[in-house]
Amino acid sequence: TISAATNSSTNSTVVKTLPRGILNPAFIKYNTYGTLNAARDNVIVVCHALTGNASLEAWWGDLLGPGKAFDTDQYFVVCCNILGSCYGSAGPESLRPGYDENNSESHRNISSKIPKNKHNQPIYGIDFPDVSVRDTVRLQLLLLKNELKINSVKCVIGGSFGGMQCVEYCVMAGATRPVGGSLDSDAGGVGSKKADAVGMSGVPYGIGEFTTKRNGRIEPFVRSAVPIACGAAHTAWQIGISETQRQAIYADPKWKNGRIDPHDPPHSGLSVARQVAMVSYRTPLGYHQKF
């Protein structure tokens, strides 16, 4: 797991109150397969769908291994768990920072407004900050470049929400010159104070931020991508379907405006929301052909 909260001036008091938009620390769970070569550029990144996890072998295992699509004899394969997940990365179920997780007495004295898990430990819960696809991809890129010291990624691949992550990888790391601005060698690249402060010469956050020096010149950090079963943006229809699912959860009396009882969560509302999701994942033609 990598913790990659960068350049944050938040203190423990601010973290406890959790104003929306602040996540400190931000950490992600990841797994690697295969061996990194000397050039540190034989890398394939596989992005999971919304309900997936970093255990690639659990859901695309048939594609992973020697001689397979994700050939571990040739490639160093990386799979990261997204922000907001419940499978190891920072998410609503993560312990809330600023509290002593081993002090049960302090837990009893915590305000009833602070969400808690089944063990009465304070967690983010409904107070977990909003995070975007770009937020989670940027944290993955920080992992790849700063933690694993990777020089270049051969390919990023993923389906559904994983495909959306692929698109963000292309936006953030698939070009050497951001749209509407330039990325010169003085900008400092990822993690530099100049790049963070000026927002890449006025270019919107993250666009073209990650490059690499390879073969004697500045190149995109990501060399190719395979986004599967996704679009460039949600349509109005998709947004409407997602809101319907949320309303199903809100309508469950056990939702309690997000201050749920961890021993009695709103399973009924979540069940209806998931049914709506499963129905909307296929087209009318798909149902006609299947049934």
Side-chain angles (χ1 to χ4, degrees):
T1 302
I2 178 176
S3 176
T6 59
N7 300 328
S8 175
S9 60
T10 55
N11 55 38
S12 59
T13 302
V14 174
V15 171
K16 284 183 182 179
T17 57
L18 276 179
R20 301 291 283 187
I22 293 178
L23 182 59
N24 185 4
F27 56 89
I28 53 174
K29 176 74 176 291
Y30 68 97
N31 286 322
T32 65
Y33 311 84
T35 304
L36 193 59
N37 64 6
R40 310 185 78 83
D41 64 358
N42 65 327
V43 180
I44 292 178
V45 176
V46 183
C47 303
H48 68 73
L50 183 63
T51 56
N53 53 50
S55 299
L56 178 57
E57 71 280 2
W59 43 275
W60 266 0
D62 290 343
L63 301 177
L64 177 67
K68 297 183 178 180
F70 307 137
D71 192 342
T72 48
D73 285 342
Q74 295 188 55
Y75 302 116
F76 183 66
V77 183
V78 182
C79 185
C80 302
N81 184 220
I82 61 172
L83 280 175
S85 173
C86 55
Y87 295 116
S89 295
E93 283 290 312
S94 299
L95 294 180
R96 199 174 183 112
Y99 296 95
D100 183 357
E101 62 182 90
N102 298 313
N103 189 337
S104 59
E105 180 63 32
S106 68
H107 296 167
R108 282 192 288 272
N109 297 328
I110 293 172
S111 167
S112 59
K113 295 181 180 180
I114 301 296
K116 301 180 184 67
N117 60 19
K118 289 183 178 179
H119 306 290
N120 203 40
Q121 296 170 311
I123 58 174
Y124 285 111
I126 191 64
D127 296 326
F128 187 77
D130 293 335
V131 292
S132 66
V133 181
R134 184 162 296 178
D135 291 331
T136 199
V137 169
R138 186 173 191 273
L139 194 55
Q140 291 177 41
L141 282 162
L142 289 170
L143 159 70
L144 296 168
K145 199 160 191 178
N146 295 353
E147 181 80 3
L148 298 179
K149 307 298 182 185
I150 287 168
N151 289 330
S152 179
V153 173
K154 177 180 176 62
C155 187
V156 180
I157 183 170
S160 190
F161 187 79
M164 298 177 196
Q165 293 175 71
C166 284
V167 173
E168 285 291 359
Y169 266 99
C170 293
V171 170
M172 301 186 75
T176 56
R177 180 173 298 143
V179 177
S182 63
L183 184 61
D184 56 66
S185 58
D186 293 332
V190 59
S192 75
K193 292 182 179 179
K194 181 175 180 182
D196 290 342
V198 302
M200 302 307 298
S201 302
V203 175
Y205 155 63
I207 296 180
E209 180 181 352
F210 293 79
T211 59
T212 188
K213 191 167 185 179
R214 190 168 172 268
N215 300 322
R217 64 179 184 270
I218 300 297
E219 295 185 354
F221 183 63
V222 171
R223 307 192 315 261
S224 64
V226 184
I228 303 169
C230 71
H234 264 38
T235 63
W237 179 79
Q238 289 173 300
I239 293 170
I241 290 292
S242 296
E243 180 60 25
T244 301
Q245 294 174 63
R246 285 190 289 271
Q247 291 298 327
I249 297 173
Y250 300 158
D252 191 323
K254 296 180 181 180
W255 170 245
K256 300 176 182 178
N257 292 319
R259 307 293 172 178
I260 66 173
D261 178 352
H263 299 283
D264 191 22
H267 284 157
S268 295
L270 183 61
S271 174
V272 173
R274 199 63 184 148
Q275 291 172 53
V276 172
M278 296 305 293
V279 169
S280 65
Y281 288 164
R282 292 180 180 272
T283 64
L285 179 60
Y287 278 104
H288 178 74
Q289 291 175 337
K290 186 171 184 178
F291 300 107

